[in-house]
Amino acid sequence: MMEKVDATSKKNEKIALFASFLQQLSVNELPLACYYATGQPFSETSGEKIQFGWSSFMNVVHQLTNRTNDDLRGFYRKKADFGSLVEYALLKRKPQPQSLGSYFGQIEREEHSIEGMHEYLRKIATYKGKGSLKAKKNQLIQLLRHSSPLEAKYIARVITSDTRTGFRGGLLLDAITKAFDRQGKSVRYAYMVLSDVGEVALVAKDHSIDLLSLKPRIFHPIRSMLASKAESIEDALSSNKKLICEPKIDGFRAQLHVDKKECRLYSRNLEDVTHAFPEIIASFSDDLRKELAPMILDGEVVALVAGKPVFFQDLLTRIQRKRDIRASVESTPCYYYVFDILLHQEESLLNTPLSKRKELLNSQLPDLTNIIKMEYYEYQNFVNIQNQLNRAIQNGSEGLMLKDPNSEYQAGKRGKGWLKLKVTLPTLDLAIIGAEWGHGRRTGWLSNYHLAAQGTNDYHMIGKTFKGLTDNEFAQLTEQLQELELSKEPYGISVQPKIVVEVEFDNIQESSKYPSGMALRFARIKRIRNDKDIEDIDTIETVRQLYHQQLERQKRADKA
Ligand code: AMP
């Protein structure tokens, strides 16, 4: 099926083909087919992770097919498609010593069913800790032994979470809409509330369910609403008469779910991070939970020392359990700055205008020890906003968030409803696509990183840097990057784009060095964004826009 979908470049044909396939599936198969179509082994909300790197997969292919590493990596360099590489390797499998079983013809190939494949993936994901890599490899060998080269191509894409299926984003939702004769608007709404394409397909199939009446559910995090970049206050005011202004604080985005019995915190990639912030959870007494529940809040976790935010990386070490949390609660307590409310008792607030949500938040949530309702002002003139911006900067914020008071909560979307105005230099979220071995103090570490922005179907390199990281971070990245190695290069290695870094720079220049024509001047890594996915990186279009805005600014400054 996916081969047919991939073969056509026509959007409507892709949708129609996949829609009729979805109609034929059982309720067990339907969600799985949806995850696989987007290049994911499991639902994003399940917390299940396969934890099997590209390099280990390559070892398995090498083992199964007897093809040399150079041959495999050479193919990848030409095609840059791991699924096709696995298909190629299985087709061109070199003869291996034959077992007696295969001589007597006992090893028959069984066709994989969707559910059968799920069993294998589940098993691979279950192995954890010491010895798990070997066990995972063995399972994968079993799976691939019984797979045709074409099946192996798609298995590889799912296991390495390669999202090049051409079925990303809205296309799958369109196919679900068509398959089950629903309205696009209601399917997209269901996705916003459920955050799980498999579940969306199931509810869309069931016509007794009114999709628009679905509500966010406790302990099922929904995607965070995102903000677009604003160039200036004038820019923000040009599209909105009034703006809700809040400080943009530099912390860790989190969604807090309050139930009668307990509270749980989720990161922006829907991971449960409750364990990392006991002081925030402890702010809710038993009685208070009973009074408020069910409630879903949106906000930012910030660690404060002497009233000033401390480095973001500190929060991540708590989440990764690399730190004694009790000691950290003592030395660097965390606070939850709440800026939004998405569910209050049984009422979904996603379609309620922001100004109303703010009123409700203020009237319903009391002041608590480690919970701070974020201060906000509604302004319509430049001077007020400028003063607010100056105040925010003095208090250690990155800038302002400027929000349309009438905006609905658009989960997972980066729209114009929320704008971010930073006074610090702009930053870009970029992927590391290659790394060079370091010299001197950095010997033994992969430390000069090749940085790329997202193109339509590829990545565009726009700079390199070894600046901004600690020794521990170099060591950590060296380990992670080696697991993502695609090929050895004269400079070091090229890697599968998976790691996201936030990069500061002095300015953007036109460049003949990189095919994108753009280069960052004096790039440095502000932080490793383990909380962001590769789909979240900035596009080359954004880089070009920033470049043009910079030119405009220079022209204005020259005239003045
Ligand atoms: P960025 O990560 O640069 O795209 O900026 C958006 C992020 O700023 C959000 O995901 C939040 O983590 C963070 N943030 C800080 N303050 C606010 C605020 N007042 N409203 C919304 N997001 C905020």
Side-chain angles (χ1 to χ4, degrees):
M1 166 49 49
M2 290 319 293
E3 194 66 357
K4 279 199 201 149
V5 172
D6 282 350
T8 169
S9 57
K10 294 196 186 100
K11 217 171 115 184
N12 285 342
E13 253 173 53
K14 279 185 195 283
I15 294 170
L17 277 167
F18 204 64
S20 64
F21 176 66
L22 291 179
Q23 284 168 344
Q24 298 157 28
L25 301 178
S26 69
V27 289
N28 286 340
E29 294 164 332
L30 185 57
L32 303 178
C34 292
Y35 307 139
Y36 300 161
T38 54
Q40 299 294 333
F42 308 112
S43 147
E44 277 176 75
T45 56
S46 70
E48 273 184 295
K49 294 226 166 76
I50 207 135
Q51 307 280 26
F52 195 76
W54 194 89
S55 228
S56 311
F57 204 124
M58 196 73 132
N59 276 336
V60 165
V61 175
H62 171 59
Q63 209 174 319
L64 268 176
T65 63
N66 243 0
R67 300 219 64 91
T68 64
N69 258 326
D70 281 352
D71 175 24
L72 296 177
R73 288 172 197 271
F75 179 94
Y76 187 86
R77 262 199 297 275
K78 273 190 247 138
K79 293 264 180 185
D81 173 0
F82 188 60
S84 299
L85 162 82
V86 175
E87 183 185 24
Y88 158 84
L90 263 75
L91 278 170
K92 304 265 170 184
R93 190 190 297 239
K94 283 191 181 160
Q96 290 180 330
Q98 292 299 304
S99 69
L100 266 185
S102 68
Y103 176 72
F104 290 120
Q106 282 165 354
I107 300 182
E108 294 275 313
R109 211 184 75 70
E110 18 155 328
E111 280 244 319
H112 286 304
S113 65
I114 292 182
E115 289 180 79
M117 159 130 159
H118 187 63
E119 279 306 303
Y120 275 107
L121 297 179
R122 262 252 149 87
K123 270 196 202 145
I124 296 176
T126 345
Y127 298 118
K128 298 212 162 70
K130 220 172 148 215
S132 63
L133 186 60
K134 193 154 178 247
K136 282 175 194 274
K137 277 187 182 170
N138 284 341
Q139 272 303 318
L140 182 59
I141 288 175
Q142 287 302 321
L143 174 62
L144 293 180
R145 273 226 171 99
H146 297 294
S147 306
S148 70
L150 188 61
E151 283 172 333
K153 170 178 175 178
Y154 287 94
I155 291 172
R157 284 188 178 174
V158 168
I159 290 186
T160 58
S161 296
D162 182 348
T163 44
R164 74 174 60 231
T165 54
F167 229 78
R168 286 156 63 175
L171 275 194
L172 180 56
L173 295 182
D174 290 345
I176 294 173
T177 304
K178 192 171 172 65
F180 305 115
D181 199 16
R182 291 285 199 162
Q183 290 203 319
K185 184 176 160 223
S186 45
V187 169
R188 281 193 296 277
Y189 177 77
Y191 181 59
M192 203 159 89
V193 174
L194 302 174
S195 313
D196 177 332
V197 274
E199 259 192 272
V200 171
L202 286 175
V203 291
K205 186 181 165 82
D206 181 349
H207 275 254
S208 69
I209 298 176
D210 169 13
L211 301 184
L212 290 176
S213 68
L214 291 171
K215 284 184 273 188
R217 298 160 301 168
I218 287 292
F219 305 149
H220 291 262
I222 69 172
R223 285 184 173 68
S224 303
M225 177 160 173
L226 303 170
S228 304
K229 289 187 173 104
E231 185 23 27
S232 58
I233 298 176
E234 291 94 325
D235 178 26
L237 276 172
S238 68
S239 43
N240 296 283
K241 277 214 186 90
K242 272 192 180 173
L243 288 164
I244 287 184
C245 307
E246 292 167 352
K248 181 178 187 322
I249 45 174
D250 192 11
F252 179 86
R253 182 75 174 266
Q255 208 172 90
L256 183 70
H257 289 223
V258 183
D259 180 44
K260 283 200 171 67
K261 293 214 175 88
E262 58 171 337
C263 294
R264 305 207 76 83
L265 257 184
Y266 299 90
S267 72
R268 61 177 272 175
N269 40 23
L270 312 180
E271 219 177 295
D272 189 332
V273 293
T274 314
H275 67 275
F277 305 107
E279 68 273 53
I280 291 177
I281 304 295
S283 298
F284 292 86
S285 66
D286 288 355
D287 286 345
L288 184 63
R289 278 199 313 272
K290 282 188 197 128
E291 186 192 318
L292 300 178
M295 183 180 264
I296 301 182
L297 302 170
D298 190 6
E300 191 88 352
V301 174
V302 186
L304 295 181
V305 171
K308 290 260 177 246
V310 295
F311 198 46
F312 174 84
Q313 215 59 27
D314 289 8
L315 299 180
L316 290 187
T317 52
R318 277 206 197 185
I319 291 165
Q320 293 159 348
R321 300 177 200 269
K322 286 189 181 155
R323 205 159 177 211
D324 176 351
I325 292 180
R326 238 185 287 165
S328 171
V329 169
E330 287 284 307
S331 62
T332 37
C334 287
Y335 296 82
Y336 187 54
Y337 280 78
V338 190
F339 50 72
D340 219 322
I341 177 164
L342 316 184
L343 179 84
H344 175 236
Q345 294 183 341
E346 289 307 329
E347 196 190 348
S348 163
L349 302 169
L350 298 181
N351 295 332
T352 305
L354 176 62
S355 53
K356 286 254 151 44
R357 300 204 300 275
K358 286 287 203 188
E359 279 167 24
L360 201 69
L361 179 61
N362 276 336
S363 62
Q364 299 302 317
L365 187 72
D367 288 325
L368 300 167
T369 340
N370 285 57
I371 312 277
I372 300 167
K373 283 180 274 183
M374 188 172 267
E375 54 162 338
Y376 73 97
Y377 301 92
E378 204 165 311
Y379 287 137
Q380 47 194 346
N381 82 44
F382 177 90
V383 177
N384 285 343
I385 301 178
Q386 183 65 51
N387 288 341
Q388 182 68 16
L389 180 62
N390 296 343
R391 228 181 357 255
I393 302 306
Q394 271 164 17
N395 292 338
S397 299
E398 280 185 300
L400 282 186
M401 296 294 291
L402 300 169
K403 302 179 177 177
D404 173 0
N406 294 316
S407 57
E408 296 181 348
Y409 194 91
Q410 298 260 293
K413 300 239 170 75
R414 193 183 293 286
K416 292 279 171 205
W418 288 9
L419 299 170
K420 53 186 174 189
L421 180 67
K422 291 194 194 179
V423 279
T424 46
L425 289 169
T427 60
L428 285 166
D429 292 327
L430 300 173
I432 298 182
I433 57 165
E436 299 175 17
W437 289 107
H439 305 288
R441 187 177 74 80
R442 293 178 288 108
T443 302
W445 287 325
L446 284 165
S447 54
N448 200 8
Y449 305 111
H450 295 194
L451 307 166
Q454 176 77 61
T456 321
N457 278 317
D458 45 4
Y459 296 90
H460 296 274
M461 181 161 169
I462 55 169
K464 290 192 217 178
T465 191
F466 54 82
K467 298 219 167 83
L469 296 181
T470 62
D471 289 1
N472 275 346
E473 287 167 327
F474 279 136
Q476 176 202 334
L477 277 186
T478 302
E479 212 174 283
Q480 282 177 299
L481 289 169
Q482 280 177 300
E483 190 47 40
L484 296 170
E485 178 184 321
L486 292 178
S487 59
K488 300 225 180 315
E489 302 291 342
Y491 60 77
I493 58 173
S494 79
V495 296
Q496 215 192 1
K498 284 267 184 221
I499 297 178
V500 181
V501 283
E502 186 179 345
V503 178
E504 287 176 323
F505 48 91
D506 281 7
N507 55 40
I508 303 173
Q509 297 175 314
E510 285 197 44
S511 148
S512 53
K513 192 161 142 203
Y514 302 123
S516 66
M518 296 276 110
L520 300 182
R521 205 167 125 79
F522 297 126
R524 56 210 171 260
I525 295 179
K526 189 172 172 202
R527 58 201 189 192
I528 306 169
R529 297 299 304 242
N530 288 329
D531 60 324
K532 290 202 173 178
D533 291 326
I534 194 72
E535 287 82 29
D536 294 329
I537 66 170
D538 279 299
T539 62
I540 191 72
E541 244 348 277
T542 303
V543 177
R544 294 210 174 96
Q545 272 169 16
L546 282 178
Y547 171 69
H548 287 295
Q549 286 167 2
Q550 182 191 296
L551 282 187
E552 288 299 312
R553 260 200 312 275
Q554 268 158 10
K555 270 194 225 151
R556 280 203 297 269
D558 289 347
K559 271 194 208 150

